[in-house]
Amino acid sequence: MSSLHLEFDVAGNNFVSAGSASNEVKLTLKKLGVEPAIIRKVAVAMYEGEINMVIHAGGGKAIVDIFGDKIDIELKDSGPGIADISLAMKEGYSTATDTIREQGFGAGMGLPNMKRYTDEFEIESTVGVGTTVRLAVYF
Amino acid sequence: MKITELIKILDAKVISMPQQDIEISGGYCGDLLSFVMGRAPEKCAWFTIMNNANVAAVAALADIGVVVLCENVQPDGHLLKAVKNKEIALIVTALPIFEAARKI
Ligand SMILES: Nc1ncnc2c1ncn2[C@@H]1O[C@H](COP(=O)(O)OP(=O)(O)OP(=O)(O)O)[C@@H](O)[C@H]1O
Ligand SMILES: [Mg+2]
């Protein structure tokens, strides 16, 4: 089965372009005829990761591979990293500033949503180096 | 309930309406975007007072049926552009969120 490889640069601190990578992936999956309920899970999970790079990491890269039976998404940034991943994964935990909260973010629900909406979820982070999140959803 | 019926009940102003008048399946109230993405059912009416471009991104990605801006909150320029681009239904009502939602 041939696969489709997509790469996106995600700009930091830009709320107007934020979500465009996830939107493009959503449109691609729609064209490929993937079930709408699955597309929705992929779109939300990827957007949460994309917006985390926008807000918390000054931007990053999204690398997407679509196969016949699944999609792999890697979200990679060179931001400040996360010191305590299990704390960051808790519902309600957020370090978002007031400015970010005014944008509608900072509920501390992004990482938990990503885990819930995907079949595979992996997060790796080193303080001062960056964060990589890997997601997979089976069709 | 169809979007057009909701517009009537809420005495709402239509900002953006895609061609299809879809059937709305329930509603969700909230302004924190990750709660909306985690909890709002697809094709629902989303009642909010959040009016920036992120609302369009969330509505598109989470398959929201119609965004209902309450308390006469007007969409900012970026949101206005984004809902037209992405063909997202967006309406504005003078009602507070609670009053608007209970009419569904
Ligand atoms: N890519 C990242 N780089 C650095 N820190 C991150 C990154 N992603 C998440 N974090 C940290 O983990 C915390 C929790 O992330 P999560 O996405 O769950 O919530 P949030 O982004 O703060 O709010 P929400 O996603 O609900 O809008 C963040 O507040 C931040 O401290
Ligand atoms: Mg987040």
Side-chain angles (χ1 to χ4, degrees), chain A residues 16-34:
Chain A
V16 177
S17 63
S20 53
S22 307
N23 204 53
E24 206 164 314
V25 168
K26 180 174 187 176
L27 295 177
T28 304
L29 293 178
K30 204 170 164 186
K31 262 187 225 148
L32 292 172
V34 176

Side-chain angles (χ1 to χ4, degrees), chain B residues 21-88:
Chain B
D21 181 19
I22 61 159
E23 185 74 26
I24 292 303
S25 64
Y28 187 82
C29 303
D31 304 317
L32 283 172
L33 302 172
S34 288
F35 271 103
V36 179
M37 285 187 280
R39 309 254 203 266
E42 58 190 293
K43 303 278 175 268
C44 75
W46 170 22
F47 299 90
T48 185
I49 52 166
M50 191 57 79
N51 66 342
N52 59 40
N54 306 317
V55 168
V58 168
L61 295 167
D63 296 328
I64 298 294
V66 55
V67 180
V68 184
L69 285 182
C70 299
E71 306 269 10
N72 243 336
V73 167
Q74 301 298 314
D76 76 8
H78 294 301
L79 177 57
L80 197 60
K81 227 200 226 156
V83 288
K84 303 241 162 165
N85 266 340
K86 295 182 176 162
E87 294 182 32
I88 295 162

